[in-house]
Amino acid sequence: MRTNRGAWMLAGLVAGAAGLATSYAVAAVMAVRDSPVVAVAELVIRLAPGAAVERAIDSLGAADKPLLVGGILVLLAVAFAWAGLLARRRWWAASLVFGGLAAVGVAAVAIQDQPSAMSYLPIAAGLVTWLGVLSILATRLRALEDPQPGFGQGPPIDAAAGRRGFLFGVGSVVLVSAGLGVLGRFWGRSRRRVEESRSLLRIPRVTEPKVPGRARVGLAGVSSWQTSEEDFYLIHTAIALPTIEPEEWSLRIHGMVDRPVTLTYQDLLDRKRSEAWITLNCVSNVVGGDLIGNAWWSGVRLADLLEEAGVRPGADALLQTSDDGWTCGTPISAVTDGRDAMLALAMNGRPLPVEHGFPVRTIVPGLYGFVSATKWLVDIEVTTFDDFDAYWTTKGWSEQAPVRLASRIDVPRGGSDVEAGQVRVGGVAWQQHVGIAGVEVSVDGGAWQSVEIAAPPTDDTWVQWAGTVDLAPGDHVLRVRATSKDGEVQTGTERSVLPDGATGWHEVEVTAREA
Ligand SMILES: Nc1nc2c(c(=O)[nH]1)N[C@H]1C(S)=C(S)[C@@H](COP(=O)(O)O)O[C@H]1N2
Ligand SMILES: [Mo]
């Protein structure tokens, strides 16, 4: 029996549409900026000569982008059908067509602002779907063309049943793709809706961050004392970020308390505001790494809420749970000892970005994020450490993890060339809630020499430092170490980040050149 070209083209089209639906849904769920097709449309706009674009916009008005996207979809449909035809005889040629289309998508994403590895995931998902679906449909079509591949005998294949099998395959793929498309739309919309609520939100008594002059050493290249939302590192296990409307949010505080409470977002808005500069860092930050940031946080003091709930004797831990199911355990002592532990509503004077835990997250100065800084917080159980294992604790990380004393060289950059002679060196040092008393640098393993440190308003933030070293022409190694206000001198013993934070001195190699 023979299949007609139409069936192969249909297989290609269906596989292509399924791939587009998958990549669209993945892009929406991951909140990637644009679906791959839109990214390609942007690429076209960017590559098109300015005059042509202007003329198009002039004659088409606001319809220019839908028309462009529509045009791309038509071209894609032609390519899909062609790939289907090719798949009949030369599977590799069909793969090449899909591979080529994916490559265009990759190029389009690559030229966007700051694409991350995740930005390419929708394209990868689409490509896998294209190849997978086409291969399934092609197998069915081939069975129709040659009922007994390689064998002469066997029960004859019923052609009608074979055709039904192919059409059933096509139908299922279409249904699943439509489902994915709807899911993508739904996710994309809820993210947009939350972004809108967030941008319209005005949180009473949140003030703008004002960086104290004394917090800066004024050396170019040293990390900015305040970290912007865009530059603030991101760590979370969630792939699809929770999209929580403030009016839908609530927090239950329960467990070993006299009066369990459920708080709404409005309850937090109505409460007394607490604001502070707090540096947050990740336990996974390697020596010299950048999983650390400093922001102006505004929210409600956690200690007040716990006092109202009435913590029962014997309780020593808060089991915090996020909307996405992530958990962490925080010592009650660290929250109630007077430090600025808070349920944060705003970061740097604006409502929390969705990525950083909108609408409410926890911030506890002095503890690594994985034991304190729950984003999209929805539940706090007052309990004991003996009674639970939190997300990372089950994977080998410590139950408790105060921040370790650390320091970093920001300038000069490792591997850079400097002019021999007096060379300015600078960076940051931190041990939140303990504070930094001093910083020293050493050249080529020589004597430690003190450098100047800035004077931030509290001990809950990192501290900028700067100094001058004398470098003769040649290669050199610069090292830094800090001393805490507790009198601890940062150890040079190198330990890995697991289970409770890295230790060791940060060093950079530079080459001093004759002026
Ligand atoms: N819901 C949730 N909250 C979380 C995490 C997570 O995976 N899920 N990661 C934690 C870790 S390990 C760190 S270091 C901080 C990072 O916060 P940021 O992404 O705002 O910088 O968030 C913490 N809060
Ligand atoms: Mo972390």
Side-chain angles (χ1 to χ4, degrees), residues 50-67:
V53 173
E54 269 162 37
R55 221 174 311 124
I57 292 176
D58 203 41
S59 56
L60 301 171
D64 59 340
K65 282 197 201 70
L67 273 176

Side-chain angles (χ1 to χ4, degrees), residues 395-419:
K395 296 177 167 55
W397 297 82
S398 291
E399 189 173 78
Q400 304 211 19
V403 170
R404 290 180 180 280
L405 177 60
S407 53
R408 186 177 77 195
I409 300 172
D410 291 338
V411 268
R413 293 254 158 226
S416 62
D417 286 359
V418 296
E419 209 170 284

Side-chain angles (χ1 to χ4, degrees), residues 235 282-284 369-370:
I235 301 278
C282 183
V283 69
S284 303
F370 84 109

Side-chain angles (χ1 to χ4, degrees), residues 426-452:
V428 280
W430 63 86
Q431 186 173 32
Q432 297 94 297
H433 207 60
V434 176
I436 297 299
V439 172
E440 297 161 291
V441 294
S442 140
V443 179
D444 302 326
W448 289 102
Q449 56 186 92
S450 288
V451 294
E452 174 209 345

